[in-house]
Structure formats: C-alpha cells, structure tokens
Amino acid sequence: MKKLLLLLAFTALLLIPTTALANESSQASNQLEQSLNDFAKNNKEADFDSATVKSKIITLKVADDYIEAPVKNGGRRSFLHHLYKQVQKIQKQNGTKYSIVIEDNWTGKFAKMNYKGNGWYTTYGHGTDNEKEKCNFATLKDGDM
C-alpha cells in the first residue's frame, strides 16, 4: 500500500510540470493566433486573410489572386518572402518560433517554411504534379528543406 501511494505521488509530481508547460504553450499559441488575425484584419499591408495556430504550426490563408495568374514563380518567391517577414515580426513580439504553412482556396497548401525561413513552395500551376522549389524565404536564396 505504501509503495502504491509513493508511486501515485511520484506520478502526480511528474504530471504537474507537464500540465503547466502544456497550458503555457497553448496560451502562447492562442495569443499568437490572435495577434496574427488582428494584424490581418487591421493592417492594409497584411498579405494574408487569416491565421490558425495548432501544434506549433501557423497556417496562413491567402487570397487566390495573390499567387495565381498572372503571378509567376518569381512573384511567388517575393510574395512569400514578404509574408515571412510579416509573420516573423509578429512571432518575435509573441516570443514564438513556429513553422509556417501557406494555403489558398484553389491550390491548397502551396508553401511551407520553418522559423528560420527554410522551406519549399510549389511552382506555378494546378494539379498534383507541380514541382516543389526549395527556398530560404528569409534571404530568397535556394534553401534546404
């Protein structure tokens, strides 16, 4: 019986810090999501319409016309670079280092990058066989995935 009580007490001590960290992470995610959506709503320079944050991944929804015809691959890279800079500024204000996924209604997910800007984007066009180009969106140089 004594061993069972000790085991329960030990388990409880292990769970308390984990719960506190989970709550802190959830609070940071919620605050970041709110900051991103406030920026999208209130700033005419915002390049995205809305944001969701889940499991340390920011998903940005952009309007189709930002990246569709007549915008070609160079325009996509430039757009994604500017978008990366906007999100980085907001992440620094919130003390987070999350990855970013960008999608629109027509193409779906067309770009992904980590906090440092390394990632990929799909080349211009529609369909499942679009090529992915590597890029560092912080510097606009070819990057690592």
Side-chain angles (χ1 to χ4, degrees), residues 14-52:
L14 287 177
L15 291 177
I16 290 171
T18 304
T19 304
L21 286 175
N23 287 340
E24 186 177 309
S25 177
S26 176
Q27 187 177 17
S29 293
N30 290 341
Q31 186 175 2
L32 176 62
E33 184 174 317
Q34 184 65 46
S35 295
L36 288 163
N37 283 313
D38 286 347
F39 179 81
K41 180 181 175 184
N42 300 321
N43 191 320
K44 66 180 181 177
E45 299 296 319
D47 288 331
F48 58 97
D49 296 330
S50 65
T52 57

Side-chain angles (χ1 to χ4, degrees), residues 3-23:
K3 287 183 180 181
L4 180 61
L5 288 174
L6 284 172
L7 180 63
L8 289 173
F10 181 72
T11 304
L13 288 173
L14 287 177
L15 291 177
I16 290 171
T18 304
T19 304
L21 286 175
N23 287 340

Side-chain angles (χ1 to χ4, degrees), residues 119-136:
W120 57 265
Y121 68 99
T122 57
T123 56
Y124 181 76
H126 294 286
T128 57
D129 51 337
N130 289 351
E131 291 184 30
K132 291 181 180 176
E133 294 285 328
K134 295 179 186 179
C135 184
N136 181 313

Side-chain angles (χ1 to χ4, degrees), residues 36-140:
L36 288 163
N37 283 313
D38 286 347
F39 179 81
K41 180 181 175 184
N42 300 321
N43 191 320
K44 66 180 181 177
E45 299 296 319
D47 288 331
F48 58 97
D49 296 330
S50 65
T52 57
V53 179
K54 190 174 188 178
S55 301
K56 296 190 176 187
I57 297 174
I58 301 166
T59 303
L60 301 175
K61 193 72 133 181
V62 300
D64 297 340
D65 58 349
Y66 280 142
I67 54 102
E68 297 305 330
V71 178
K72 298 293 183 192
N73 293 331
R76 278 187 178 208
R77 286 173 70 111
S78 180
F79 169 75
L80 293 167
H81 170 70
H82 195 253
L83 190 61
Y84 169 80
K85 294 290 188 181
Q86 289 178 347
V87 173
Q88 282 307 95
K89 183 177 179 181
I90 296 168
Q91 284 209 73
K92 284 182 183 180
Q93 292 169 351
N94 285 274
T96 58
K97 294 184 177 184
Y98 296 174
S99 295
I100 305 166
V101 171
I102 299 101
E103 48 186 52
D104 69 353
N105 288 329
W106 193 9
T107 311
K109 180 167 80 171
F110 68 89
K112 184 175 181 180
M113 61 195 80
N114 64 18
Y115 175 76
K116 293 183 178 182
N118 287 317
W120 57 265
Y121 68 99
T122 57
T123 56
Y124 181 76
H126 294 286
T128 57
D129 51 337
N130 289 351
E131 291 184 30
K132 291 181 180 176
E133 294 285 328
K134 295 179 186 179
C135 184
N136 181 313
F137 297 102
T139 62
L140 279 182

